[in-house]
Amino acid sequence: MACSVVAHILFFFLIFGNLTPAAPMGEKRPATASGEGFLLGKSRKRVFPVTQTQEPDPIAEAYSYCNTPNRSEQAWEGHSPADYKLLSVHVMIRHGDRYPLYSIPKTKRPPINCTLSTSRRPSHPLLKAFISHMAQSGRGHWDSPLASLPRLPNHSACEMGELTQTGVVQHLRNGQLLQQAYKQHRFLPSDWSARHVWLETTGKSRTVQSGLAFLYGFLPDFDWKKLTVHHQWNTLFCGSSCDCPARSKYLEEDQRRQYLLRVADANLERTYITMARTLGLPPRQLRAANPIDSLLCHLCHGLPFPCAPSGDGAPPRCLTREQFAVIRQQQLDDEADRRRVGLYRKYAVLAMFPYLNRTAARMERVAKSSEAGRQRRAGNDEVFTLSSAHDVTLAPLLSALGLEKAQFPRFAARIVFELWRGLPVTPGQVRRKGGKGERSKVNSRDVFIRVLYNGEDVTFHSAFCRSHARHVSQPLCPLTNFLTFVRRDMFQVVNATSYSEACYRRFN
């Protein structure tokens, strides 16, 4: 899989020597030893696992999940053949690094300070100005459920689930990285207004703060008066289309599969018993505390694994990296089994249709309003949208797009949809007719889509463009492929032709 990604990149460089921009954008910092196995060349992180003859190291995989902002980061956003015009960008992010949602009984909580300080690592050149600017958030427009949420993490002893300084820095870097990648394309008007930029977030402080950090890094002239922060009440960003009985059934079936796989893992059971004995807990209580969440926090922040006092002056009894590796390996095994069985893919298609359908409609609207001779409408030209979400949002989005082999969304992961207009159709070229399921005709010859995951172009790994024949005159994926996929073809996996049919017919 990784080889095909490299081949795709080489394809562009061999045929289009004049790509824009000429090199991927990124900050040049030394890569950490813990992340070397996830870099392509010296600095590119793989989003698809490398084919290996032996099982991957779950510890190394966990470091990649941490996404510690101390290494070089490169982005292929903003790349296209020469003379292609960027029309719009639509981004979904996972919130940045957070404090655990669970605590392990009889152990001390990780000692992490969740206030922001430029003197503490990791930091960022924009951090001081970001802190100051968030104090002016009252000038912005907020959906009422978000009005009382803090704009910055602000506890010297982190609260459960609170965004850390690492999480803020991750998204300042993400936003600035994309700002650098897109600045020469100027798809966002210099006099942008609220109708051009759409920010939506769930009602958790960590997603609100992550979205603000990303947007502050992305917009060189961040202006509260122009910004409205919209609330999404459901983590699937399904708006008014959340009711889908079949989706819930598929999720229940997949959770049952996950449970059976877990109880059949004898090594995992032995490990939980040993960990529980170390801490003086019943194994059931330890499982209920979801210890992997807290252990990941210790690993990501370079903290010793938690210990329990032993009494009588004896050394404390501590959990180990080997125990963590067993639990993490079981999670990796579960991801592989999930792909094999296919129930999660069915869930994902129904879970993410509302978001994908809104994104498709936005892209189609921008494409139509940008056609030659058509005056841009003064209404909903949302050329940049940002959705600040969770792992339980990005994971089904990847699966729905057919990117099931991509790595599980790390902290501050991003999925980017780009809309491009190519060269006009030359005389003699025949336009392809729009496929069934396309609500209105878009110039299929010169409007294209790219999909990127953590900076990697994964368009031609997606279900809607995997079989598209790339050639010199059409090196990108036509937008019509995406529109037809969202409005019809994606439901083939559940033997249906529409969202309504898939959701409400008898579950088989």
Side-chain angles (χ1 to χ4, degrees):
M1 189 65 71
C3 293
S4 62
V5 176
V6 176
H8 175 44
I9 296 168
L10 290 176
F11 170 84
F12 276 110
F13 276 101
L14 289 173
I15 296 180
F16 297 93
N18 187 25
L19 285 178
T20 57
M25 301 295 181
E27 299 177 40
K28 300 302 181 183
R29 297 182 182 179
T32 60
S34 61
E36 288 176 354
F38 297 87
L39 303 181
L40 179 59
K42 291 186 178 180
S43 56
R44 289 186 67 202
K45 301 175 185 176
R46 297 184 187 272
V47 297
F48 291 101
V50 182
T51 302
Q52 301 183 26
T53 57
Q54 60 184 14
E55 289 187 352
D57 178 4
I59 298 292
E61 185 279 336
Y63 276 117
S64 178
Y65 175 89
C66 297
N67 192 22
T68 306
N70 61 355
R71 70 183 80 182
S72 175
E73 176 85 11
Q74 294 186 341
W76 292 90
E77 285 94 345
H79 283 241
S80 75
D83 301 323
Y84 276 53
K85 178 179 176 59
L86 182 63
L87 301 180
S88 69
V89 176
H90 309 273
V91 184
M92 177 174 278
I93 58 173
R94 184 191 177 188
H95 60 75
D97 177 83
R98 59 157 172 78
Y99 200 71
L101 298 172
Y102 307 88
S103 61
I104 301 177
K106 294 191 176 182
T107 66
K108 293 182 179 180
R109 292 173 51 183
I112 299 174
N113 188 335
C114 273
T115 59
L116 302 183
S117 171
T118 56
S119 62
R120 190 169 63 246
R121 299 300 175 198
S123 189
H124 190 278
L126 292 177
L127 182 59
K128 183 177 181 179
F130 173 70
I131 295 171
S132 175
H133 218 77
M134 290 306 103
Q136 306 171 26
S137 63
R139 300 178 182 178
H141 305 281
W142 297 81
D143 281 359
S144 56
L146 305 175
S148 62
L149 294 177
R151 311 311 183 215
L152 296 172
N154 56 8
H155 294 92
S156 57
C158 294
E159 294 191 341
M160 293 297 183
E162 188 170 10
L163 193 71
T164 66
Q165 177 159 318
T166 298
V168 171
V169 170
Q170 285 169 334
H171 277 306
L172 286 173
R173 293 184 76 212
N174 266 347
Q176 190 174 56
L177 198 65
L178 265 63
Q179 190 272 333
Q180 293 171 355
Y182 292 135
K183 63 182 179 182
Q184 72 182 69
H185 296 289
R186 300 176 183 175
F187 74 98
L188 188 64
S190 58
D191 59 345
W192 65 272
S193 65
R195 74 171 187 265
H196 297 115
V197 175
W198 175 274
L199 171 60
E200 59 184 357
T201 173
T202 64
K204 297 293 185 181
S205 61
R206 59 183 176 273
T207 53
V208 172
Q209 294 159 8
S210 292
L212 293 174
F214 184 105
L215 205 59
Y216 190 80
F218 179 74
L219 294 174
D221 52 347
F222 188 100
D223 187 344
W224 276 115
K225 295 178 181 179
K226 298 180 181 180
L227 189 64
T228 298
V229 187
H230 303 272
H231 176 241
Q232 277 287 347
W233 68 273
N234 192 294
T235 57
L236 297 178
F237 285 64
C238 46
S240 61
S241 304
C242 293
D243 184 40
C244 183
R247 182 193 70 221
S248 301
K249 286 286 188 180
Y250 285 127
L251 182 59
E252 290 171 7
E253 289 294 316
D254 187 68
Q255 290 172 339
R256 174 68 177 169
R257 172 207 59 79
Q258 186 180 49
Y259 169 77
L260 293 175
L261 183 70
R262 188 166 57 243
V263 298
D265 191 327
N267 191 27
L268 179 68
E269 178 65 16
R270 286 192 299 270
T271 299
Y272 271 126
I273 291 173
T274 302
M275 293 171 66
R277 186 182 302 120
T278 297
L279 301 177
L281 296 170
R284 181 177 297 181
Q285 184 180 1
L286 179 64
R287 289 193 198 94
N290 192 22
I292 189 68
D293 188 46
S294 182
L295 294 177
L296 269 169
C297 179
H298 283 80
L299 186 82
C300 294
H301 288 264
L303 300 172
F305 276 12
C307 303
S310 57
D312 300 327
R317 303 184 303 270
C318 303
L319 303 182
T320 68
R321 288 166 66 95
E322 290 75 20
Q323 293 165 343
F324 169 83
V326 170
I327 303 176
R328 193 64 178 163
Q329 183 60 56
Q330 198 281 328
Q331 290 185 323
L332 298 177
D333 294 342
D334 174 67
E335 290 177 24
D337 189 66
R338 183 179 70 186
R339 292 192 294 268
R340 180 186 63 80
V341 174
L343 285 167
Y344 187 82
R345 175 80 192 282
K346 295 178 180 180
Y347 158 76
V349 162
L350 300 182
M352 296 315 299
F353 167 77
Y355 171 81
L356 286 170
N357 192 44
R358 285 200 310 276
T359 301
R362 282 168 168 152
M363 298 178 94
E364 186 177 38
R365 186 166 59 242
V366 171
K368 290 173 66 177
S369 68
S370 69
E371 290 176 359
R374 184 188 290 264
Q375 185 176 1
R376 291 187 75 88
R377 290 173 293 175
N380 297 321
D381 276 347
E382 294 155 356
V383 294
F384 180 78
T385 65
L386 175 62
S387 304
S388 188
H390 305 262
D391 55 355
V392 294
T393 321
L394 272 72
L397 180 56
L398 290 169
S399 182
L401 292 171
L403 302 170
E404 293 188 290
K405 293 184 179 180
Q407 290 179 336
F408 188 81
R410 67 196 187 193
F411 287 129
R414 66 182 186 271
I415 301 174
V416 177
F417 298 85
E418 296 177 347
L419 180 66
W420 295 85
R421 183 171 293 284
L423 299 174
V425 178
T426 58
Q429 283 185 307
V430 179
R431 295 187 186 276
R432 182 175 65 82
K433 293 183 179 180
K436 183 180 178 181
E438 295 170 21
R439 295 179 184 173
S440 57
K441 293 182 179 180
V442 174
N443 191 335
S444 62
R445 279 287 183 182
D446 61 2
V447 185
F448 305 95
I449 184 174
R450 292 178 76 221
V451 182
L452 301 103
Y453 180 43
N454 294 336
E456 294 275 4
D457 187 342
V458 296
T459 311
F460 290 96
H461 293 288
S462 69
F464 63 87
C465 226
R466 194 176 293 140
S467 60
H468 177 70
R470 287 170 284 175
H471 47 80
V472 174
S473 62
Q474 195 180 83
L476 301 184
C477 182
L479 176 64
T480 49
N481 283 35
F482 180 63
L483 299 180
T484 303
F485 172 75
V486 171
R487 293 167 181 168
R488 185 193 64 192
D489 292 349
M490 70 186 294
F491 301 111
Q492 290 176 357
V493 71
V494 290
N495 297 317
T497 58
S498 70
Y499 182 62
S500 177
E501 178 190 357
C503 285
Y504 296 105
R505 71 181 181 185
R506 179 184 291 273
F507 180 78
N508 295 318

